[in-house]
Amino acid sequence: MKNLFLLLTVLAIFATACSRPKSSAKLRTDTDSVAYIIGMNVGTNLLKMDSTLNIEALCKGIRDIFEGKTIFTPEEAKTYYLQYVNYAIPEKVRAYEEQFLADFAKSNRAYARTKSGITYTVNEIGDQELIPSVARDTLVMRYIIRDMEGKELFSSYERGDSLRTAVGALCKGLQESIKLVGQGGKINAWLPAATAYGAEGNVQLGIAPNATLFYEIELIEVDKYSRNRR
């Protein structure tokens, strides 16, 4: 809902520019230059939202608003947009993600896939007597997160830090991955979005919604809950 209003506000900024021929845009004054810069920023944000947007259709929507003859009513537009954002886009992302991970596993024979789609390779298997297995087991780990383009999003190594947590506090993909190695083990794993941060993403880590993530994990210490109960 909020995204829809933001999009409509953004489009309104483009209204004058879209309704005039391209050659009419002359930067004669400082305010014209500022307007152009605002247009650049808005365009950049629109590209981030959806780089496949049809600029002609976008401008038609703006012109139709100003002329009072839109194809959709406001309620119809809201319903259509929310269906697209909540269903169509995630489905497209999942289809691309599945193909990407399947192709990756085929071209990288050291990697295997689990039923949930996690695509992994074990670099060091670690202590098989100390494998985290239940939600109350605790562990200490270091890790790096990268996106599909290989960009580093987070590194506990760079921060000179490690994560101490209960297994149950981790996302599903990490829980599944760490259970494949023991204390001292190392594993690299691709986590499908549904097993990582999902449709919400993580603003603090710079993780976009529906992001497929690559983790490099070092399991430093495992404290089995069953041992502490004895």
Side-chain angles (χ1 to χ4, degrees):
M1 183 72 170
K2 186 181 293 184
N3 287 338
L4 176 60
F5 290 146
L6 174 62
L7 179 60
L8 293 178
T9 301
V10 165
L11 295 184
I13 296 174
F14 274 126
T16 303
C18 285
S19 60
R20 296 176 181 173
K22 293 180 181 178
S23 59
S24 67
K26 303 294 183 181
L27 308 183
R28 296 191 179 92
T29 66
D30 289 343
T31 53
D32 288 344
S33 295
V34 169
Y36 180 78
I37 292 169
I38 292 173
M40 288 176 60
N41 289 334
V42 171
T44 298
N45 289 329
L46 282 172
L47 282 174
K48 290 179 180 178
M49 290 173 64
D50 190 344
S51 62
T52 64
L53 284 174
N54 182 334
I55 189 66
E56 296 303 323
L58 186 151
C59 289
K60 174 175 171 53
I62 294 172
R63 285 193 291 269
D64 287 355
I65 280 284
F66 275 73
E67 294 172 7
K69 56 174 187 179
T70 57
I71 296 173
F72 302 107
T73 66
E75 281 304 313
E76 289 172 338
K78 173 184 171 183
T79 299
Y80 193 99
Y81 179 79
L82 290 178
Q83 287 179 340
Y84 177 73
V85 170
N86 294 326
Y87 299 101
I89 289 181
E91 283 300 320
K92 290 180 180 179
V93 170
R94 279 192 288 271
Y96 176 78
E97 177 183 72
E98 171 60 26
Q99 190 62 55
F100 172 84
L101 293 177
D103 290 344
F104 185 88
K106 286 180 181 178
S107 59
N108 295 269
R109 295 302 179 88
Y111 281 76
R113 297 193 71 191
T114 68
K115 290 182 179 180
S116 65
I118 291 173
T119 305
Y120 71 94
T121 184
V122 174
N123 299 320
E124 292 183 28
I125 196 165
D127 188 342
Q128 295 301 282
E129 297 296 322
L130 290 172
I131 296 177
S133 56
V134 299
R136 291 189 179 185
D137 287 347
T138 58
L139 56 85
V140 178
M141 60 183 277
R142 293 193 186 100
Y143 62 103
I144 297 173
I145 309 175
R146 302 182 192 278
D147 62 17
M148 292 179 76
E149 284 71 44
K151 178 183 177 182
E152 187 175 294
L153 304 176
F154 177 86
S155 172
S156 61
Y157 295 95
E158 188 175 302
R159 293 165 59 98
D161 197 5
S162 57
L163 173 67
R164 181 181 293 274
T165 184
V167 172
L170 298 171
C171 67
K172 292 180 180 179
L174 281 180
Q175 289 187 41
E176 187 173 344
S177 298
I178 59 167
K179 291 176 182 178
L180 297 171
V181 294
Q183 179 174 289
K186 295 181 180 180
I187 183 172
N188 292 350
W190 284 101
L191 272 56
T195 71
Y197 290 93
E200 293 183 0
N202 186 303
V203 175
Q204 291 182 332
L205 294 177
I207 296 173
N210 301 306
T212 309
L213 301 175
F214 182 71
Y215 275 79
E216 298 175 26
I217 304 165
E218 179 183 3
L219 194 55
I220 299 171
E221 181 183 321
V222 175
D223 189 7
K224 300 286 289 181
Y225 177 73
S226 59
R227 293 189 176 187
N228 294 332
R229 294 186 63 188
R230 293 175 184 172

